Amino acid sequence: MIRHQDLPESSTKAAAAAASESLAQVGTNLRISGSSSAPRSESSIAINIANASKIISASNDIGIGRQAQFFSSDGGATWGLTSLPNVTGDSSQSDPSVDWTSDGTAWAATVGISRFGTVLKLRWFKSTDSGATWASDSTVSGTQSVTDKPMTWVDRGPSSPFKDYAYAIWHNGGPVYMNRKNGVAGAWNSSPTRVSNVETTGSGIGGGVTTNASGDVFGLWPDTGSSKLYMVKSTDGGTTFSSPSLVAATFDTYNIGIPAMDSRRALIYVAAGAYRTGTKNNVYAAWIDQTGASGCNSPADEPGSNVSSPCTTRIWFTRSTNGGTGWSSPVMINNPPTLNDQFNPWLAVDDTNGRISILYYDTVNDPGRLKTDVYYQSSADDGATWSLPIRVTTAMTDETVAGADLGNQYGDYNGMSAYNDTVFPSWTDRRSGGAEEIWTAKIMETNAPPPPGVSDGLTVNKDASVNLVLAWNADCGGSTTYGIYRGNLLSGYSSIAPEPGFCSVSGTTVTIPQGSNTADFLLVVPNNGSNEGSYGNDSTGARRPPATVECFPQGTLAACAP
């Protein structure tokens, strides 16, 4: 909050914003797909929450056609490599998805594709040795023959009445279907359930499925016809589903041409998550879209290959706090004023604490807008605020060169799994300049202190000794102290500096010297010992980024002037 000492109160209320700065630590970037001359793309990854030293992952293997499977038995330090067998009638496999059941069985889904690509079926495989070997288990899609872009999920809720039920969502042509498997030894329903209806006027490609601790099932998908995202819900273990309800509208539809991925184009799909406790009933969705600004809010505005286009793509997020009945207005979790594009997001929820993690590609480090890094953000307050983005990759990838991934570029999606403050993402990486590979990095979250928030109502008066008496409202976050800053209007914004002796003020009032400059203005910055609020320079003289959203994260609090 900011206040000029001679301005009336009605002119001085200012919006500030701050949020918890993520204390996540990114480990070593690690190639998990081994040495291969064949390109890999589109990956899924899952931590075994019954034994977190066990992790499985999978990707397309465009060289041999069979789905590549990766496995670790030492918490992601080292990885083995194998492949799924082909089912009779299938010539190749695509669109991986993996998960675990509580007995330690590993599961993998793939689309089995016939020799001429005319028949596509959703296949289900199992591994009883933590991913080292795999066997065909069943077909999920019944008699359907054009299944595409499936996602699967296993109910992991310890108290869920449907624990270990597996769920799948996909589109078969235009309509969206779901199916369920009744526990570890159970079978998939012979007839999948069509969950889309007349609201889906195009194709429901790009769906996501998740469950919460109570066993509620959520299926979400985008519609290429109406440019909207929809959701269905089941409270009886996938026996029946609600009618589709609106989650959000999108500016673009189906996929978006961006300079870093103008050949395959970046798919608009839904990455979903849910979290339920005795007091919370949250559902989350993330996706890529244009910013919505003027000139960036319709398919005609796509940048395509134009690196100078003012239209950019961002990662959007919305949440429901009532089990999917209503949804918040979508927000961009990271919207810098630069010509960079973000795409291929994935969302994971840590069941042990509710933290939400989001991963995505970003061209922000390449002035040419072609090379990407992977970035990570998290939210410890149910998606109300987001941490500053953290760069995960230590080298960039360029998928715009001729022949990149045989035209597939990055593929359509990445993967991520989170449990007990440990996060494992998986992504397509081409830092070597050769064939595309699948990489990961162990991300460790720590319990950060509550974030500083927003204070307002700052008043400035003079006491009998002509000192200045400042009073303000307590902040909306977790601040315990406040720092007083002073600047001069004639010298501009960058003149702000800490008021000597008033860097850690307890309470919401303080008396400071008036000073000799009539053009001085004052700033009160909430802090919590680890982070401080926005505006001006921090105590080292470095300029803090301007706050754009309430409870926006700022930099680490440094030593203040004595």
Side-chain angles (χ1 to χ4, degrees):
M1 62 190 158
I2 192 167
R3 175 80 155 92
H4 185 267
Q5 64 194 57
D6 295 327
L7 293 178
E9 168 65 19
S10 60
S11 303
T12 60
K13 220 172 191 183
S20 58
E21 181 180 9
S22 176
L23 300 183
Q25 300 294 316
V26 179
T28 302
N29 285 201
L30 187 64
R31 182 183 67 182
I32 65 175
S33 56
S35 177
S36 174
S37 60
R40 312 286 175 85
S41 66
E42 297 181 354
S43 60
S44 177
I45 193 166
I47 301 169
N48 180 2
I49 66 171
N51 181 355
S53 66
K54 310 282 190 179
I55 311 168
I56 53 172
S57 181
S59 78
N60 294 336
D61 187 329
I62 300 176
I64 66 171
R66 299 204 312 273
Q67 185 163 291
Q69 300 289 134
F70 320 117
F71 56 96
S72 174
S73 298
D74 54 12
T78 60
W79 291 80
L81 168 65
T82 186
S83 299
L84 295 181
N86 260 331
V87 176
T88 301
D90 297 345
S91 178
S92 59
Q93 298 165 337
S94 183
D95 298 347
S97 183
V98 295
D99 214 333
W100 299 83
T101 44
S102 63
D103 67 332
T105 303
W107 302 90
T110 190
V111 173
I113 306 170
S114 65
R115 180 181 178 185
F116 297 107
T118 55
V119 178
L120 292 82
K121 291 182 175 291
L122 178 51
R123 308 294 194 185
W124 188 245
F125 294 80
K126 70 184 294 184
S127 170
T128 56
D129 54 10
S130 302
T133 61
W134 294 84
S136 175
D137 180 81
S138 54
T139 296
V140 181
S141 52
T143 60
Q144 295 178 3
S145 60
V146 288
T147 60
D148 184 36
K149 204 56 60 189
M151 284 295 157
T152 59
W153 179 268
V154 172
D155 186 336
R156 64 195 63 174
S159 301
S160 168
F162 311 108
K163 179 181 177 181
D164 287 331
Y165 275 37
Y167 301 94
I169 187 170
W170 68 91
H171 76 104
N172 188 62
V176 179
Y177 288 84
M178 294 185 70
N179 203 350
R180 66 101 185 268
K181 180 178 182 291
N182 301 346
V184 177
W188 293 93
N189 290 341
S190 59
S191 298
T193 301
R194 177 173 173 171
V195 293
S196 65
N197 209 318
V198 295
E199 80 294 324
T200 302
T201 58
S203 172
I205 182 174
V209 58
T210 191
T211 59
N212 63 22
S214 297
D216 300 329
V217 188
F218 303 92
L220 297 90
W221 68 90
D223 172 30
T224 63
S226 64
S227 300
K228 290 181 172 64
L229 311 181
Y230 294 100
M231 185 207 80
V232 291
K233 178 179 179 179
S234 174
T235 59
D236 55 13
T239 301
T240 61
F241 287 89
S242 66
S243 297
S245 59
L246 179 67
V247 173
T250 59
F251 301 108
D252 213 321
T253 185
Y254 183 31
N255 55 27
I256 306 175
I258 56 177
M261 196 171 172
D262 191 39
S263 175
R264 184 177 180 88
R265 299 168 59 88
L267 181 68
I268 299 175
Y269 60 87
V270 183
Y275 184 64
R276 185 163 189 177
T277 67
T279 58
K280 298 179 180 181
N281 191 7
N282 299 339
V283 192
Y284 310 115
W287 65 96
I288 174 188
D289 202 359
Q290 298 180 28
T291 63
S294 177
C296 194
N297 55 24
S298 75
D301 297 327
E302 292 178 5
S305 61
N306 182 7
V307 298
S308 300
S309 170
C311 184
T312 58
T313 57
R314 296 291 183 258
I315 305 305
W316 287 80
F317 172 84
T318 183
R319 66 174 182 171
S320 170
T321 57
N322 53 15
T325 300
W327 292 82
S328 64
S329 297
V331 296
M332 293 173 280
I333 66 171
N334 176 25
N335 183 30
T338 49
L339 295 183
N340 62 294
D341 297 296
Q342 303 161 1
F343 61 103
N344 282 22
W346 201 255
L347 180 151
V349 179
D350 189 331
D351 295 332
T352 66
N353 54 34
R355 180 183 281 110
I356 314 166
S357 298
I358 290 183
L359 182 87
Y360 53 90
Y361 291 120
D362 198 331
T363 63
V364 67
N365 294 322
D366 178 22
R369 201 173 168 179
L370 300 177
K371 300 177 182 178
T372 62
D373 277 296
V374 171
Y375 273 83
Y376 170 86
Q377 290 181 254
S378 64
S379 174
D381 56 8
D382 308 317
T385 62
W386 291 89
S387 69
L388 286 169
I390 296 174
R391 183 183 179 186
V392 175
T393 44
T394 54
M396 290 193 288
T397 289
D398 186 353
E399 285 292 279
T400 64
V401 298
D405 203 355
L406 304 181
N408 287 288
Q409 295 187 294
Y410 296 91
D412 290 333
Y413 58 92
N414 293 314
M416 186 163 55
S417 182
Y419 185 73
N420 197 25
D421 289 327
T422 301
V423 183
F424 276 95
S426 62
W427 68 88
T428 303
D429 194 294
R430 197 169 178 269
R431 68 184 67 192
S432 67
E436 289 75 8
E437 302 164 330
I438 303 302
W439 286 61
T440 191
K442 184 178 182 179
I443 302 173
M444 294 296 298
E445 287 277 6
T446 59
N447 293 320
V454 176
S455 306
D456 64 8
L458 176 61
T459 60
V460 180
N461 295 291
K462 295 178 181 179
D463 65 9
S465 301
V466 201
N467 292 312
L468 299 178
V469 180
L470 283 63
W472 58 89
N473 296 330
D475 79 301
C476 72
S479 298
T480 56
T481 58
Y482 301 82
I484 311 301
Y485 287 70
R486 185 190 294 262
N488 187 269
L489 293 175
L490 300 180
S491 299
Y493 182 85
S494 62
S495 68
I496 295 174
E499 183 74 7
F502 294 92
C503 295
S504 185
V505 175
S506 298
T508 56
T509 184
V510 69
T511 300
I512 65 173
Q514 177 175 336
S516 58
N517 296 320
T518 57
D520 280 357
F521 63 90
L522 299 167
L523 173 70
V524 176
V525 180
N527 64 64
N528 61 10
S530 296
N531 303 280
E532 60 182 342
S534 57
Y535 298 110
N537 294 354
D538 66 19
S539 48
T540 68
R543 182 169 176 173
R544 289 184 296 270
T548 57
V549 183
E550 183 171 310
C551 291
F552 189 84
Q554 300 301 320
T556 301
L557 181 66
C560 194

